[in-house]
Amino acid sequence: MPTRRATIPATKYPVERFTLDNGLRVVLTPDRSAPVIGVAVVYDVGIRSEPEGRTGFAHLFEHLMFQGSENLEKLAHFRHVQGAGGTFNGSTHLDYTDYYETLPSNALERALFLEADRMRGPRLTEENLRNQVDVVKEEIRVNVLNRPYGGFPWLTLPPVMFDTFPNAHDGYGSFDDLESATVADAADFFRRYYASGNAVLAVSGDVDVVEATALIERHFGDVPARPAPDRPDFTEPDLTAERRTSYTDKLAPLPAVAGAWRVPDPLTDFAGYLPYVVLAEVLTDGDASRLVERLVQRDRSVTSLGGYLGFMGDPFDVRDPTALLLQAHLPPGGDVDKVLRTVDEELDRLATDGLTEGELARTQARMATHLLRDTDAVLGRALGMAVLEQQRGEPGLINELPRLVGEVTDEQVRAAAATLRPERRASIEVIPGGAR
């Protein structure tokens, strides 16, 4: 008997798109319900774009973009945004880097000036570079080297699954590579990737489209035109035999394991990709999910469990190659082999027997809730639309995602589960070396 479908509400956020003469793509999504705006600039460069010998450079350059720009001294960006009552940040991903602000709507021109100024050129000095290399090294110490399970599995699993440098290398970077970076390297990285033709600007919230368009043309129109660089082909063949490795984490008190399987291309085969997004949630989202019920509650062979698409948990803003990941922490003396066998059993059972009545609808309703919540805030909307414009040329897809998730069928989820075979899996085990 077919399972009940979830009733998914829809959003109707307006979308205005245009491109400046210098190639900068712009997305506006007005919402006059509150005097707040979100501004996001997304550049089509990320961890996968780093050259060999310069691991961690995309993230290092993100830091450099906050160290002053053509007309602004160091720390001026911080002062101008916070002085207007706003917040700001940036982040580096596998396939893009973003910079963003949330501000009162009367500070729109201020935000546009700040972003346009650093799009013209950050202050790339030896002092700024050395300072930010030290900052990034400390970030690595805090988040990876001196933390239990640091980098697990987003840094430790890709080199097991992939063979090529772009997909397999450490995106945080080695200390040797970071320390050998030069101002000339940074200038070349900026010229190559931080071009107006390689960027998207998105503004959401309390804006008038005509006024915002005029302000954008005023501040960004004279940014020198540079085309987007050719994007390399990062594709790799799928695994034909299981890959498995382990390492000892001197700080980890308990064992852990993560496994990953390649999934269809999220851009060229979105219809084939979506069932895997839903499958990850069916398996791991909530106490009633398949693997939580089996591994955590019944067998008690793991203490915690998670599943998601993309090594950074980014199902709708990642390009191929990507994967479905499952990760678990085990109790003292836990049996990793048994956990992996149980995962295989549950995948086989799902592929053979299908979902129970209401299971798919419950999962889809939860997913839709998360998607709607993420875009309710103006900044979430701006960031989401900017990345969708950059990767797909479809910022309005943000309105369709909840519905598309709700249209995935029982049969599609079963078929996706059937492909997650042990011979296609890459897995990594953490052997605890910390205090018991």
Side-chain angles (χ1 to χ4, degrees):
M1 183 173 67
T3 57
R4 185 175 71 251
R5 287 287 187 89
T7 301
I8 306 295
T11 55
K12 297 181 179 179
Y13 297 124
V15 179
E16 301 283 343
R17 303 168 65 212
F18 60 93
T19 303
L20 299 184
D21 290 343
N22 58 16
L24 177 67
R25 288 176 283 168
V26 180
V27 179
L28 302 178
T29 175
D31 177 359
R32 311 306 294 270
S33 61
V36 180
I37 56 167
V39 177
V41 178
V42 173
Y43 294 89
D44 197 347
V45 57
I47 290 169
R48 284 199 256 233
S49 301
E50 295 170 346
E52 293 193 49
R54 288 294 178 265
T55 58
F57 206 88
H59 176 232
L60 173 62
F61 198 86
E62 175 216 319
H63 279 244
L64 290 171
M65 287 285 279
F66 288 97
Q67 302 305 302
S69 53
E70 185 170 285
N71 294 293
L72 293 169
E73 71 278 12
K74 188 173 184 175
L75 302 181
H77 192 107
F78 300 57
R79 187 173 67 253
H80 286 299
V81 174
Q82 292 173 337
T87 59
F88 66 94
N89 213 330
S91 57
T92 306
H93 302 252
L94 291 178
D95 296 304
Y96 67 94
T97 306
D98 56 25
Y99 303 87
Y100 49 87
E101 295 87 15
T102 302
L103 287 154
S105 54
N106 61 4
L108 172 62
E109 185 165 16
R110 179 179 299 209
L112 296 177
F113 166 77
L114 293 171
E115 290 297 349
D117 203 58
R118 62 178 166 187
M119 186 178 288
R120 290 187 187 89
R123 292 201 175 191
L124 302 177
T125 67
E126 184 67 24
E127 179 186 2
N128 285 343
L129 177 61
R130 299 275 69 87
N131 173 266
Q132 291 310 301
V133 165
D134 288 341
V135 170
V136 171
K137 286 167 62 180
E138 184 61 21
E139 188 175 327
I140 294 170
R141 291 187 187 100
V142 171
N143 292 336
V144 180
L145 301 180
N146 296 325
R147 172 178 291 186
Y149 312 103
F152 171 79
W154 77 278
L155 293 178
T156 56
L157 191 51
V160 184
M161 170 162 271
F162 298 117
D163 295 321
T164 64
F165 174 83
N167 298 319
H169 78 274
D170 179 349
Y172 246 144
S174 73
F175 282 10
D176 285 346
D177 283 357
L178 290 168
E179 289 166 354
S180 64
T182 67
V183 172
D185 292 332
D188 181 67
F189 197 82
F190 176 79
R191 282 192 298 269
R192 181 184 300 270
Y193 295 112
Y194 278 72
S196 53
N198 206 37
V200 174
L201 165 68
V203 180
S204 66
D206 185 21
V207 295
D208 176 87
V209 171
V210 174
E211 292 177 2
T213 299
L215 288 173
I216 290 166
E217 289 176 340
R218 178 188 307 168
H219 289 285
F220 287 90
D222 64 350
V223 174
R226 301 199 313 278
D230 293 333
R231 189 172 185 279
D233 182 2
F234 295 134
T235 57
E236 287 192 37
D238 196 0
L239 300 184
T240 57
E242 183 178 12
R243 294 183 180 181
R244 185 171 169 183
T245 191
S246 64
Y247 68 98
T248 298
D249 184 333
K250 292 185 289 186
L251 299 177
L254 298 169
V257 66
W261 297 260
R262 290 281 298 278
V263 296
D265 188 322
L267 298 190
T268 63
D269 187 13
F270 195 46
Y273 174 78
L274 275 174
Y276 291 86
V277 182
V278 177
L279 172 61
E281 303 299 312
V282 167
L283 293 173
T284 65
D285 186 30
D287 290 343
S289 61
R290 292 278 174 131
L291 294 180
V292 172
E293 192 279 330
R294 174 72 188 274
L295 291 166
V296 178
Q297 298 176 354
R298 192 198 318 174
D299 295 355
R300 300 194 176 184
S301 55
V302 308
T303 57
S304 64
L305 181 73
Y308 45 93
L309 269 289
F311 288 90
M312 301 178 78
D314 44 7
F316 300 119
D317 58 5
V318 68
R319 292 184 171 111
D320 192 64
T322 188
L324 184 153
L325 282 80
L326 299 174
Q327 67 178 82
H329 290 78
L330 284 65
D335 187 340
V336 166
D337 290 327
K338 180 181 178 182
V339 170
L340 292 176
R341 285 196 305 270
T342 305
V343 169
D344 294 336
E345 290 173 13
E346 288 299 316
L347 289 169
D348 287 341
R349 187 165 70 89
L350 177 55
T352 302
D353 300 338
L355 292 94
T356 60
E357 177 63 26
E359 184 179 10
L360 181 59
R362 179 182 69 242
T363 302
Q364 290 167 320
R366 289 168 67 106
M367 294 178 69
T369 298
H370 295 320
L371 288 167
L372 294 168
R373 182 189 62 199
D374 290 345
T375 58
D376 186 55
V378 291
L379 181 59
R381 217 173 304 158
L383 284 167
M385 286 194 179
V387 177
L388 289 170
E389 167 64 36
Q390 180 201 77
Q391 297 185 351
R392 301 171 180 271
E394 296 182 78
L397 185 62
I398 206 168
N399 290 315
E400 303 298 321
L401 287 175
R403 175 185 62 80
L404 292 171
V405 163
E407 290 178 352
V408 172
T409 66
D410 178 299
E411 291 75 16
Q412 289 175 308
V413 175
R414 290 175 64 178
T419 69
L420 304 190
R421 307 299 305 161
E423 61 270 18
R424 296 185 59 243
R425 180 174 61 215
S427 61
I428 189 159
E429 176 185 354
V430 179
I431 300 170
R436 299 292 180 182

